[in-house]
Amino acid sequence: MPTVVLMDASLSMTRPVSLEGSEEFQRKNLAVHGLTMLFEHMATNYRLEFTALVVFSSLWELMVPFTRDYNTLQVVLVTDGALGIGRGSLRHSLATMKQRGEDKKFPLPFPFPSKLYIMCISNAEELQATDAMDNLEQLLTLSGGEGHIFTMDGPLCLKSVQAMFGKLIDQAYTPFHAVLRCGNLASDVQVFPRPEPVLLDDEVDPVPKAVLTELEIVGFIEIGDIASPPVLSRHLVLPIAVNKEADEVGAGTTDDMEEDTSTNQMAGKSPNFCVLLHGSLKVEGMVALVQLGPDWYGMLYSQADSKKKSNLMMSLFEPGPEPLPWLGKISQLGPISDALENPYGEDDSKSPFPVQPKNKRSYAQNVTVWIKASGLQTDVQKILRNARKLPEKTQTFYKELNRLRKAALAFGFWELLKCVAELLERECTLLPDSAHPDAAFQLSHAAQQLKLASTGDSQYAAFEHNITPMLTDFSGGGGGADRM
Amino acid sequence: MKTFSVSHKTVIVVDHCPYMAESSRQQIECDMLTKSRAQGVIPLAPVSKSLWTCAVECSMEYLRILYDIYPARKLDMSAHRDILACTVLQVNYIVSDSEFHILNSWRQEDQSVQELMSALAAVGPPNPREDPECCSILHGLVAAVESLCKITEYQHESRTTLMDMAERVANRGRIICLTNAKSDTHVRMLEDCVLETIQEQNKLAAGSDRLMPIQQCELVLVHIYPQGDDTLVSDRPKKEISSVLNSEVHSVRAGRHLASKLNVLVQQHFDLASTTITNIPMKEEQHANTSANYDVELLHHRDAHIEFIKSGMHSIFVFDQCIPDCVCTGDLHMAGSTSRDSGLKETVTLKWCTPRTNSVELHYCTGAFRISPVDVNSRPSSCLTNFLLNGRSVLLEQPRKSGSKVISHMLSCHGGEIFLHTLNSTRSTLEDPPSISEGCGGRVTDYRITDFGEFMRENRLTPFPDMPVDAAGRAPFERAKAQLERHTRYWPMIISQTTIFNMQAVVPLANLIVKDSMTEDDLLTCQKTVYNLVDMERKNDPLPISTVGSRGKGPKRDEQYRIMWNELETLVKTHVGTSERHQQVLECISACRSKPPEEEERKKRGRKREDKEDKTEKNGKESEEKGWAPDSERLKGAIEREKEEQSESEVIKDSPDSPEPFNKKPRLATEELLSLEKSKGPVSLLSLWTSRITQANSRKHQEFAGRINSVNNKAELYQHLKDENGMDVHENGKATR
């Protein structure tokens, strides 16, 4: 989630902090110290986070802009909690919020999901002495409630500002480290952005699910078979050098950085499973199915940038035993070697996917719908068109006739059966002299059968019953070819 | 939609009383073609549907859409998550005349339009001559309430599976009643009757295992009257009759008005929304080389529009007047329920987009929703659905007057089901990430990419729906993981780390040894592979040993074979515990491979020791191995020493000049280690890998001659004196190849 840092640069931030026996600090210095620590942490452990810095007092100035637009945001507001007075102050703005016009709406809540972290360069007692805390809390509630207000414990000094920013880092910027495993092959990885726990909209069991730090590959599937599945989120999977010094908060001296670079160079030269996996996934056009937790899965694949760059990416599926209907239950996916014969064929010409559902959907099974008159008219015309091409079209004629008959019986539309029977009888009388003699027999037979069905007589109006072509001397002595 | 919302159970009650046989007075011309064909033929009178036919076909349409989007599915009741994770919607269909007829049950296999069509055919149209006094919709409504109290298979299993959370399994439901009411008072009477029945049934249900009291019931009364008549019943929005019962009344003319009403209701009841695909190019039947553009309306879960709703893009919603003769003012503000109630339907228009996408492209897709065409068998609809059913996908873009093209959706078919995919159209936070080549392992250039590709193909997955667990109680995906484990016990990642995997001659054995069980034929193939290697060695065939990093021409031929045999042994050893036959493969290798002379053995030992020293230095940096590698390294060293010692003692036991045997102490330790190793299972990949690297490193520098020949790191001086005496014993003792 991209971060915007809002830094209070108002005059009150230059208030000195009384400290015995050391050089004098302003609150601003403390804030800068805290932010330096945050940025250093990001530079070492959260490198890919996009960050912008805005400085404000009564006006504001964008110091470092984003290079892109995003649909989610993390806001870190650094202030001393001196909210000012009069027009434009937070106090005033909150109090007059309801009187604002449509064009000058209060900026919170943002029209996108966001988290607001407020870092107060003052301690709780100080804030509670005025109504500052209440106002800040109101601000947090307005923004949607996601986030936190941090205050400093004890005297205002470098140590306590470090402790406060340390808490922010723990809550919002701890990197997600995991081990990616494929059997005995493994690699330590950082997953970025870190996967947040997912709360299922579930009436019975509303417990948030978190991604395990042990990511285990289950097997592999072709990209065409997994077919652009819906995912909750996407994350880069970055191999990391192991046992790197546990990131000491704020301990980013130049020496360390240099050593860091050399370790990275070393790490670049020793083989890493992620790189192997990425290369093969890319070449083969496949994805690796990975287990993220109990009944929770995702996929690993090669994601190519527009340029020559590409990366190992992990997408998380919706938690559950069957996230993609076309794969079936994930727990029922097994190795192809267990199958009697290779489901992909010896030459990779077939695939066991997609899994076919038991029942076809309406659009795949030629259903009869007569809601619109045109639907009914089309069906009647189909029968008449085939009727005129008897005996060649005997099969299709009876197929269409039976389809209409079934629907008419189900809908209790007996009048239609009579009507079509009459139409067929008339067709019979209109047959040209050149017509095949079988045509007349079939037409009158079909008409008679429809009439019988329209009486509702159970012998003729059974739903499962089909009208079969009449056996005539012309229709090949009842040979199987023409029969339904 | 919550798991046990009112939508979980729907009862449709259709009035089958004599008055439903009345004509809807909506006439349909069936006799269309005669006019052009034969003059003088009197066209047949148009037909018209009865109120019953209208009610039945519209309710079937409601169910068609419902089952398309929420198909009935077989539940795996043994899986706890399954119960919680899926939306199960069930419908009970009841017909009411002088008594009630329940046409299906709550069971999953009864949830199909085909089954209901068959049952409806058996019921037939209402009999106009039946005594109207004994016929009433009330029979059906009472039956509907009773039915709602009946526990569904799903509720039952949820309760038993969840045990301690059983009370969270709720019982809510909806009754849709299609009838022809007499008046508003009549409607009131029906509502009261439903409420009374609920109260009675809830009392009964409290004391039963098979029944559940109804917590909430939604009654949707649809009054159907013929065209041209004035309605005797007035519309009424949803109103709370009591804490358990809500009721709403819709007064609709039979025919297309009823159809569009039920279309609106199905959308409301099951959280659906409408998308119209526009600009679909279709070939004209008459003129094959021209194409016209058509629109097709689809229904799907409304979450497919969530991005539009979130981002406040209300302008994308288009409001069509779906009832032509209903006067409405089009309020162009997005507000679902009000616009629906006013008879307007809203739909999002998305444009067919060319070029099409191919199936091997992996789109960033945030959702996939089943669709159902509104007009399922119209020509444009069936053209679109057939196109998709044939396996092609279509990207859809938002119509914009200007600016860039935004592709927000994709239509795609999976296994005979069409899904509307939502594609991410906002810019990603992951843009422009570092390339994988910039990170760990990124500089290594000789990864076994092709081999791992082959490995992935062998470890592809396939569904085993009929075999939930095998004899050992493992689910298929656990077997898949077990196979991955077996296949990776020894798997060097880069070409220069391996010899055997670069040799075509080893392939048959390498493929078979990883199998869970070997046949007698497999064993024979493995043995043949080994004999073949022996043959190669005899012929002195070159081996594909990597010379990367080594000075000069690399190791000598016999050294190459030693490395190859060692690696092969390492591979086979990791599988030796799998079965007797796996064991036999190892035995075959041990028996066939060339035994290096003692000198060689000593050299090796010397190197090993030195490498180990190297290792301890390196460990500071290569911390990966830090945790456990030294341990297993020691273990392995010990095993090898033990083995060497054994072979040595076998070979040289008679020699008076044989070196001092290892003292007892380390030997005991070795035995301990060995037994420890056995209980631990096969040697880990990492230790194997480390030993490989150690071996590779050992080739990179020339060893000090004294150390090469040293025993226990002590170089014997004046060796040549001994050699002169003892050499021939060795020569005789060993089979030289």
Side-chain angles (χ1 to χ4, degrees), chain A residues 184 204 222 231 267-268 291 295 311 332 337-338 348 362-363 370 426, chain B residues 31 34 49 68 81 168 365 418 434 441 443 457 460 464 479 481 483 488:
Chain A
N184 293 299
V204 188
E222 314 265 352
V231 300
Q291 181 157 20
D295 272 329
N311 233 308
Q332 289 178 357
S337 57
D338 278 11
D348 276 344
S362 69
Y363 45 82
W370 293 333
R426 198 181 60 196
Chain B
D31 197 4
T34 46
K49 296 170 186 169
D68 270 357
R81 279 291 340 155
R168 295 205 204 157
C365 161
I418 299 171
R443 302 288 182 76
R457 307 196 151 270
R460 272 182 294 185
F464 291 92
R479 296 201 299 273
K481 285 186 195 170
Q483 177 168 308
T488 54

mmCIF file of all heavy atoms in Angstrom, chain A residues 184 204 222 231 267-268 291 295 311 332 337-338 348 362-363 370 426, chain B residues 31 34 49 68 81 168 365 418 434 441 443 457 460 464 479 481 483 488:
data_model
loop_
_atom_site.group_PDB
_atom_site.id
_atom_site.type_symbol
_atom_site.label_atom_id
_atom_site.label_comp_id
_atom_site.label_asym_id
_atom_site.label_seq_id
_atom_site.Cartn_x
_atom_site.Cartn_y
_atom_site.Cartn_z
ATOM 1 N N ASN A 184 12.001 -30.855 -1.376
ATOM 2 C CA ASN A 184 13.214 -30.531 -0.620
ATOM 3 C C ASN A 184 13.922 -29.278 -1.114
ATOM 4 O O ASN A 184 14.911 -28.857 -0.539
ATOM 5 C CB ASN A 184 14.186 -31.706 -0.681
ATOM 6 C CG ASN A 184 13.646 -32.906 0.059
ATOM 7 O OD1 ASN A 184 13.398 -32.847 1.252
ATOM 8 N ND2 ASN A 184 13.409 -33.991 -0.661
ATOM 9 N N VAL A 204 -20.932 -18.031 9.921
ATOM 10 C CA VAL A 204 -20.724 -19.050 10.933
ATOM 11 C C VAL A 204 -19.325 -18.989 11.561
ATOM 12 O O VAL A 204 -19.156 -19.235 12.727
ATOM 13 C CB VAL A 204 -20.976 -20.447 10.329
ATOM 14 C CG1 VAL A 204 -20.955 -21.500 11.419
ATOM 15 C CG2 VAL A 204 -22.323 -20.467 9.641
ATOM 16 N N GLU A 222 -0.879 -25.821 -16.252
ATOM 17 C CA GLU A 222 -0.640 -24.962 -17.413
ATOM 18 C C GLU A 222 -1.426 -23.651 -17.254
ATOM 19 O O GLU A 222 -2.523 -23.648 -16.716
ATOM 20 C CB GLU A 222 -1.139 -25.647 -18.695
ATOM 21 C CG GLU A 222 -0.740 -27.093 -18.835
ATOM 22 C CD GLU A 222 0.525 -27.269 -19.652
ATOM 23 O OE1 GLU A 222 0.993 -26.280 -20.236
ATOM 24 O OE2 GLU A 222 1.034 -28.398 -19.674
ATOM 25 N N VAL A 231 -8.382 -13.439 -8.294
ATOM 26 C CA VAL A 231 -7.490 -13.473 -7.130
ATOM 27 C C VAL A 231 -7.802 -12.315 -6.183
ATOM 28 O O VAL A 231 -8.337 -11.299 -6.597
ATOM 29 C CB VAL A 231 -6.005 -13.415 -7.552
ATOM 30 C CG1 VAL A 231 -5.660 -14.589 -8.432
ATOM 31 C CG2 VAL A 231 -5.675 -12.115 -8.263
ATOM 32 N N ALA A 267 25.129 -13.207 -2.614
ATOM 33 C CA ALA A 267 23.872 -13.927 -2.742
ATOM 34 C C ALA A 267 23.468 -14.036 -4.206
ATOM 35 O O ALA A 267 22.864 -15.012 -4.626
ATOM 36 C CB ALA A 267 22.787 -13.235 -1.938
ATOM 37 N N GLY A 268 23.813 -13.028 -4.975
ATOM 38 C CA GLY A 268 23.464 -13.054 -6.383
ATOM 39 C C GLY A 268 24.129 -14.206 -7.109
ATOM 40 O O GLY A 268 23.619 -14.704 -8.099
ATOM 41 N N GLN A 291 0.208 -23.811 -1.460
ATOM 42 C CA GLN A 291 -0.693 -23.802 -0.308
ATOM 43 C C GLN A 291 -0.284 -22.692 0.651
ATOM 44 O O GLN A 291 0.878 -22.584 1.044
ATOM 45 C CB GLN A 291 -0.662 -25.156 0.405
ATOM 46 C CG GLN A 291 -1.618 -25.184 1.590
ATOM 47 C CD GLN A 291 -2.046 -26.575 1.990
ATOM 48 O OE1 GLN A 291 -1.376 -27.548 1.658
ATOM 49 N NE2 GLN A 291 -3.144 -26.674 2.706
ATOM 50 N N ASP A 295 -6.812 -25.108 3.692
ATOM 51 C CA ASP A 295 -7.842 -24.768 2.713
ATOM 52 C C ASP A 295 -7.661 -23.372 2.111
ATOM 53 O O ASP A 295 -8.622 -22.638 1.915
ATOM 54 C CB ASP A 295 -9.244 -24.868 3.325
ATOM 55 C CG ASP A 295 -9.792 -26.267 3.201
ATOM 56 O OD1 ASP A 295 -9.446 -26.947 2.219
ATOM 57 O OD2 ASP A 295 -10.565 -26.679 4.084
ATOM 58 N N ASN A 311 9.502 -11.184 -13.111
ATOM 59 C CA ASN A 311 9.593 -11.469 -11.696
ATOM 60 C C ASN A 311 8.717 -12.631 -11.287
ATOM 61 O O ASN A 311 7.776 -12.967 -11.994
ATOM 62 C CB ASN A 311 9.167 -10.233 -10.916
ATOM 63 C CG ASN A 311 10.233 -9.875 -9.930
ATOM 64 O OD1 ASN A 311 10.655 -10.719 -9.154
ATOM 65 N ND2 ASN A 311 10.699 -8.647 -9.974
ATOM 66 N N GLN A 332 -8.411 -32.478 -4.073
ATOM 67 C CA GLN A 332 -8.594 -33.660 -4.927
ATOM 68 C C GLN A 332 -7.708 -33.624 -6.165
ATOM 69 O O GLN A 332 -7.867 -34.424 -7.076
ATOM 70 C CB GLN A 332 -10.064 -33.801 -5.311
ATOM 71 C CG GLN A 332 -10.891 -34.232 -4.117
ATOM 72 C CD GLN A 332 -12.355 -34.350 -4.416
ATOM 73 O OE1 GLN A 332 -12.800 -34.057 -5.513
ATOM 74 N NE2 GLN A 332 -13.118 -34.781 -3.439
ATOM 75 N N SER A 337 0.957 -39.144 -12.178
ATOM 76 C CA SER A 337 1.471 -40.515 -12.175
ATOM 77 C C SER A 337 0.501 -41.480 -11.502
ATOM 78 O O SER A 337 0.587 -42.683 -11.697
ATOM 79 C CB SER A 337 2.820 -40.558 -11.457
ATOM 80 O OG SER A 337 2.680 -40.060 -10.148
ATOM 81 N N ASP A 338 -0.442 -40.942 -10.723
ATOM 82 C CA ASP A 338 -1.443 -41.799 -10.076
ATOM 83 C C ASP A 338 -2.569 -42.201 -11.027
ATOM 84 O O ASP A 338 -3.343 -43.092 -10.723
ATOM 85 C CB ASP A 338 -2.059 -41.081 -8.868
ATOM 86 C CG ASP A 338 -1.176 -41.187 -7.645
ATOM 87 O OD1 ASP A 338 -0.018 -41.634 -7.800
ATOM 88 O OD2 ASP A 338 -1.627 -40.824 -6.541
ATOM 89 N N ASP A 348 0.983 -34.264 -24.873
ATOM 90 C CA ASP A 348 0.416 -33.033 -24.306
ATOM 91 C C ASP A 348 -0.725 -32.463 -25.146
ATOM 92 O O ASP A 348 -0.900 -31.264 -25.237
ATOM 93 C CB ASP A 348 1.505 -31.953 -24.168
ATOM 94 C CG ASP A 348 2.283 -32.123 -22.879
ATOM 95 O OD1 ASP A 348 1.786 -32.845 -21.995
ATOM 96 O OD2 ASP A 348 3.361 -31.537 -22.768
ATOM 97 N N SER A 362 -28.204 -23.258 -18.769
ATOM 98 C CA SER A 362 -29.331 -23.124 -19.711
ATOM 99 C C SER A 362 -28.854 -22.788 -21.111
ATOM 100 O O SER A 362 -29.351 -23.314 -22.101
ATOM 101 C CB SER A 362 -30.298 -22.060 -19.210
ATOM 102 O OG SER A 362 -29.717 -20.770 -19.302
ATOM 103 N N TYR A 363 -27.818 -21.925 -21.213
ATOM 104 C CA TYR A 363 -27.379 -21.483 -22.531
ATOM 105 C C TYR A 363 -26.613 -22.562 -23.274
ATOM 106 O O TYR A 363 -26.255 -22.385 -24.434
ATOM 107 C CB TYR A 363 -26.532 -20.205 -22.414
ATOM 108 C CG TYR A 363 -25.487 -20.251 -21.310
ATOM 109 C CD1 TYR A 363 -24.274 -20.879 -21.508
ATOM 110 C CD2 TYR A 363 -25.741 -19.671 -20.060
ATOM 111 C CE1 TYR A 363 -23.320 -20.942 -20.499
ATOM 112 C CE2 TYR A 363 -24.796 -19.726 -19.039
ATOM 113 C CZ TYR A 363 -23.584 -20.370 -19.265
ATOM 114 O OH TYR A 363 -22.649 -20.431 -18.270
ATOM 115 N N TRP A 370 -40.498 -19.182 -23.862
ATOM 116 C CA TRP A 370 -41.492 -18.508 -24.708
ATOM 117 C C TRP A 370 -41.993 -17.212 -24.081
ATOM 118 O O TRP A 370 -43.102 -16.770 -24.354
ATOM 119 C CB TRP A 370 -42.683 -19.442 -24.971
ATOM 120 C CG TRP A 370 -42.305 -20.636 -25.821
ATOM 121 C CD1 TRP A 370 -41.303 -20.703 -26.732
ATOM 122 C CD2 TRP A 370 -42.931 -21.915 -25.806
ATOM 123 N NE1 TRP A 370 -41.272 -21.946 -27.315
ATOM 124 C CE2 TRP A 370 -42.261 -22.719 -26.762
ATOM 125 C CE3 TRP A 370 -44.004 -22.469 -25.095
ATOM 126 C CZ2 TRP A 370 -42.623 -24.047 -27.017
ATOM 127 C CZ3 TRP A 370 -44.364 -23.782 -25.363
ATOM 128 C CH2 TRP A 370 -43.669 -24.559 -26.307
ATOM 129 N N ARG A 426 -52.906 -28.635 -42.002
ATOM 130 C CA ARG A 426 -53.057 -27.766 -43.169
ATOM 131 C C ARG A 426 -51.869 -27.922 -44.112
ATOM 132 O O ARG A 426 -52.031 -27.948 -45.320
ATOM 133 C CB ARG A 426 -53.198 -26.317 -42.728
ATOM 134 C CG ARG A 426 -53.796 -25.473 -43.849
ATOM 135 C CD ARG A 426 -53.916 -24.044 -43.424
ATOM 136 N NE ARG A 426 -52.622 -23.487 -43.076
ATOM 137 C CZ ARG A 426 -52.473 -22.356 -42.392
ATOM 138 N NH1 ARG A 426 -53.535 -21.693 -41.952
ATOM 139 N NH2 ARG A 426 -51.273 -21.890 -42.128
ATOM 140 N N ASP B 31 -49.421 -18.498 -36.801
ATOM 141 C CA ASP B 31 -49.568 -18.796 -38.221
ATOM 142 C C ASP B 31 -48.955 -17.665 -39.019
ATOM 143 O O ASP B 31 -49.638 -16.760 -39.476
ATOM 144 C CB ASP B 31 -51.064 -18.928 -38.528
ATOM 145 C CG ASP B 31 -51.280 -19.631 -39.835
ATOM 146 O OD1 ASP B 31 -50.285 -20.063 -40.444
ATOM 147 O OD2 ASP B 31 -52.443 -19.749 -40.246
ATOM 148 N N THR B 34 -48.012 -18.509 -43.707
ATOM 149 C CA THR B 34 -49.017 -18.814 -44.723
ATOM 150 C C THR B 34 -49.296 -17.629 -45.618
ATOM 151 O O THR B 34 -49.559 -17.785 -46.785
ATOM 152 C CB THR B 34 -50.324 -19.264 -44.058
ATOM 153 O OG1 THR B 34 -50.586 -18.341 -43.004
ATOM 154 C CG2 THR B 34 -50.199 -20.667 -43.540
ATOM 155 N N LYS B 49 -51.897 -17.510 -23.900
ATOM 156 C CA LYS B 49 -51.528 -18.296 -22.724
ATOM 157 C C LYS B 49 -52.544 -18.075 -21.619
ATOM 158 O O LYS B 49 -53.105 -16.981 -21.495
ATOM 159 C CB LYS B 49 -50.149 -17.866 -22.227
ATOM 160 C CG LYS B 49 -49.028 -18.123 -23.201
ATOM 161 C CD LYS B 49 -47.743 -17.452 -22.718
ATOM 162 C CE LYS B 49 -46.635 -17.571 -23.746
ATOM 163 N NZ LYS B 49 -45.488 -16.722 -23.440
ATOM 164 N N ASP B 68 -28.443 -21.008 -13.270
ATOM 165 C CA ASP B 68 -27.273 -20.677 -14.096
ATOM 166 C C ASP B 68 -26.201 -20.015 -13.246
ATOM 167 O O ASP B 68 -25.008 -20.263 -13.409
ATOM 168 C CB ASP B 68 -27.666 -19.683 -15.216
ATOM 169 C CG ASP B 68 -28.119 -20.404 -16.480
ATOM 170 O OD1 ASP B 68 -28.074 -21.647 -16.495
ATOM 171 O OD2 ASP B 68 -28.522 -19.718 -17.432
ATOM 172 N N ARG B 81 -14.724 -26.825 5.902
ATOM 173 C CA ARG B 81 -14.654 -25.554 5.191
ATOM 174 C C ARG B 81 -15.699 -25.478 4.101
ATOM 175 O O ARG B 81 -16.218 -24.431 3.793
ATOM 176 C CB ARG B 81 -13.289 -25.340 4.538
ATOM 177 C CG ARG B 81 -12.203 -24.858 5.403
ATOM 178 C CD ARG B 81 -12.319 -23.447 5.902
ATOM 179 N NE ARG B 81 -13.196 -22.535 5.183
ATOM 180 C CZ ARG B 81 -13.732 -21.489 5.764
ATOM 181 N NH1 ARG B 81 -13.551 -21.242 7.024
ATOM 182 N NH2 ARG B 81 -14.482 -20.664 5.081
ATOM 183 N N ARG B 168 -25.491 -21.238 15.403
ATOM 184 C CA ARG B 168 -25.320 -20.200 14.391
ATOM 185 C C ARG B 168 -25.981 -20.567 13.068
ATOM 186 O O ARG B 168 -26.064 -19.762 12.168
ATOM 187 C CB ARG B 168 -23.829 -19.956 14.135
ATOM 188 C CG ARG B 168 -23.132 -19.391 15.333
ATOM 189 C CD ARG B 168 -21.913 -18.627 14.912
ATOM 190 N NE ARG B 168 -20.968 -18.572 16.005
ATOM 191 C CZ ARG B 168 -19.675 -18.369 15.861
ATOM 192 N NH1 ARG B 168 -19.185 -18.209 14.655
ATOM 193 N NH2 ARG B 168 -18.870 -18.311 16.886
ATOM 194 N N CYS B 365 -6.990 -10.728 -12.674
ATOM 195 C CA CYS B 365 -8.435 -10.766 -12.616
ATOM 196 C C CYS B 365 -8.850 -10.762 -11.149
ATOM 197 O O CYS B 365 -8.295 -11.502 -10.335
ATOM 198 C CB CYS B 365 -8.818 -12.039 -13.349
ATOM 199 S SG CYS B 365 -10.392 -12.651 -13.029
ATOM 200 N N ILE B 418 -20.008 -20.050 -18.430
ATOM 201 C CA ILE B 418 -19.463 -18.758 -18.840
ATOM 202 C C ILE B 418 -19.337 -17.853 -17.615
ATOM 203 O O ILE B 418 -20.258 -17.779 -16.798
ATOM 204 C CB ILE B 418 -20.357 -18.109 -19.917
ATOM 205 C CG1 ILE B 418 -20.404 -19.004 -21.155
ATOM 206 C CG2 ILE B 418 -19.833 -16.728 -20.290
ATOM 207 C CD1 ILE B 418 -21.397 -18.589 -22.193
ATOM 208 N N PRO B 434 11.939 -4.616 -9.281
ATOM 209 C CA PRO B 434 13.256 -5.051 -9.739
ATOM 210 C C PRO B 434 13.124 -6.393 -10.451
ATOM 211 O O PRO B 434 12.239 -7.168 -10.126
ATOM 212 C CB PRO B 434 14.045 -5.193 -8.442
ATOM 213 C CG PRO B 434 13.009 -5.407 -7.388
ATOM 214 C CD PRO B 434 11.815 -4.630 -7.827
ATOM 215 N N GLY B 441 20.695 -15.040 -6.284
ATOM 216 C CA GLY B 441 20.789 -16.075 -7.305
ATOM 217 C C GLY B 441 20.581 -15.558 -8.707
ATOM 218 O O GLY B 441 20.518 -16.324 -9.661
ATOM 219 N N ARG B 443 22.559 -13.801 -10.552
ATOM 220 C CA ARG B 443 23.736 -13.758 -11.426
ATOM 221 C C ARG B 443 24.108 -15.130 -11.961
ATOM 222 O O ARG B 443 24.943 -15.246 -12.848
ATOM 223 C CB ARG B 443 24.932 -13.204 -10.650
ATOM 224 C CG ARG B 443 24.716 -11.840 -10.072
ATOM 225 C CD ARG B 443 24.719 -10.796 -11.180
ATOM 226 N NE ARG B 443 24.566 -9.461 -10.624
ATOM 227 C CZ ARG B 443 25.527 -8.799 -10.022
ATOM 228 N NH1 ARG B 443 26.705 -9.360 -9.900
ATOM 229 N NH2 ARG B 443 25.326 -7.596 -9.531
ATOM 230 N N ARG B 457 6.422 -30.655 -15.584
ATOM 231 C CA ARG B 457 5.447 -31.409 -16.381
ATOM 232 C C ARG B 457 5.128 -32.732 -15.693
ATOM 233 O O ARG B 457 3.983 -33.179 -15.700
ATOM 234 C CB ARG B 457 5.982 -31.727 -17.773
ATOM 235 C CG ARG B 457 6.458 -30.539 -18.484
ATOM 236 C CD ARG B 457 6.622 -30.752 -19.973
ATOM 237 N NE ARG B 457 6.389 -29.461 -20.546
ATOM 238 C CZ ARG B 457 5.212 -29.027 -20.924
ATOM 239 N NH1 ARG B 457 4.175 -29.830 -20.903
ATOM 240 N NH2 ARG B 457 5.052 -27.807 -21.358
ATOM 241 N N ARG B 460 2.667 -32.186 -12.835
ATOM 242 C CA ARG B 460 1.398 -31.520 -13.089
ATOM 243 C C ARG B 460 0.303 -32.232 -12.311
ATOM 244 O O ARG B 460 0.439 -33.392 -11.929
ATOM 245 C CB ARG B 460 1.082 -31.562 -14.582
ATOM 246 C CG ARG B 460 1.680 -30.392 -15.323
ATOM 247 C CD ARG B 460 1.326 -30.415 -16.773
ATOM 248 N NE ARG B 460 1.940 -31.557 -17.442
ATOM 249 C CZ ARG B 460 1.869 -31.762 -18.759
ATOM 250 N NH1 ARG B 460 1.205 -30.903 -19.519
ATOM 251 N NH2 ARG B 460 2.441 -32.804 -19.318
ATOM 252 N N PHE B 464 -8.812 -35.986 -9.045
ATOM 253 C CA PHE B 464 -9.233 -37.344 -8.676
ATOM 254 C C PHE B 464 -10.500 -37.241 -7.824
ATOM 255 O O PHE B 464 -10.453 -37.461 -6.619
ATOM 256 C CB PHE B 464 -8.135 -38.053 -7.871
ATOM 257 C CG PHE B 464 -6.909 -38.385 -8.664
ATOM 258 C CD1 PHE B 464 -5.840 -37.514 -8.717
ATOM 259 C CD2 PHE B 464 -6.836 -39.574 -9.370
ATOM 260 C CE1 PHE B 464 -4.713 -37.817 -9.456
ATOM 261 C CE2 PHE B 464 -5.702 -39.882 -10.115
ATOM 262 C CZ PHE B 464 -4.645 -39.008 -10.160
ATOM 263 N N ARG B 479 -0.649 -36.561 -1.812
ATOM 264 C CA ARG B 479 0.192 -37.454 -2.628
ATOM 265 C C ARG B 479 1.047 -36.637 -3.583
ATOM 266 O O ARG B 479 2.190 -36.980 -3.854
ATOM 267 C CB ARG B 479 -0.690 -38.433 -3.408
ATOM 268 C CG ARG B 479 -1.489 -39.377 -2.514
ATOM 269 C CD ARG B 479 -1.912 -40.614 -3.268
ATOM 270 N NE ARG B 479 -2.757 -40.353 -4.412
ATOM 271 C CZ ARG B 479 -4.081 -40.239 -4.352
ATOM 272 N NH1 ARG B 479 -4.700 -40.365 -3.208
ATOM 273 N NH2 ARG B 479 -4.779 -40.009 -5.438
ATOM 274 N N LYS B 481 2.218 -33.660 -3.043
ATOM 275 C CA LYS B 481 3.327 -33.089 -2.270
ATOM 276 C C LYS B 481 4.372 -34.159 -1.975
ATOM 277 O O LYS B 481 5.573 -33.889 -2.025
ATOM 278 C CB LYS B 481 2.813 -32.528 -0.951
ATOM 279 C CG LYS B 481 2.070 -31.218 -1.082
ATOM 280 C CD LYS B 481 1.772 -30.737 0.333
ATOM 281 C CE LYS B 481 0.735 -29.654 0.364
ATOM 282 N NZ LYS B 481 0.323 -29.396 1.754
ATOM 283 N N GLN B 483 5.037 -36.683 -3.771
ATOM 284 C CA GLN B 483 5.794 -36.933 -5.003
ATOM 285 C C GLN B 483 6.861 -35.853 -5.203
ATOM 286 O O GLN B 483 7.991 -36.154 -5.575
ATOM 287 C CB GLN B 483 4.842 -36.978 -6.199
ATOM 288 C CG GLN B 483 5.594 -37.153 -7.503
ATOM 289 C CD GLN B 483 4.678 -37.489 -8.665
ATOM 290 O OE1 GLN B 483 3.863 -38.417 -8.592
ATOM 291 N NE2 GLN B 483 4.786 -36.735 -9.734
ATOM 292 N N THR B 488 12.619 -34.449 -5.363
ATOM 293 C CA THR B 488 13.618 -33.404 -5.112
ATOM 294 C C THR B 488 14.634 -33.809 -4.059
ATOM 295 O O THR B 488 15.352 -32.974 -3.547
ATOM 296 C CB THR B 488 12.935 -32.106 -4.625
ATOM 297 O OG1 THR B 488 12.112 -32.435 -3.501
ATOM 298 C CG2 THR B 488 12.093 -31.472 -5.703
#
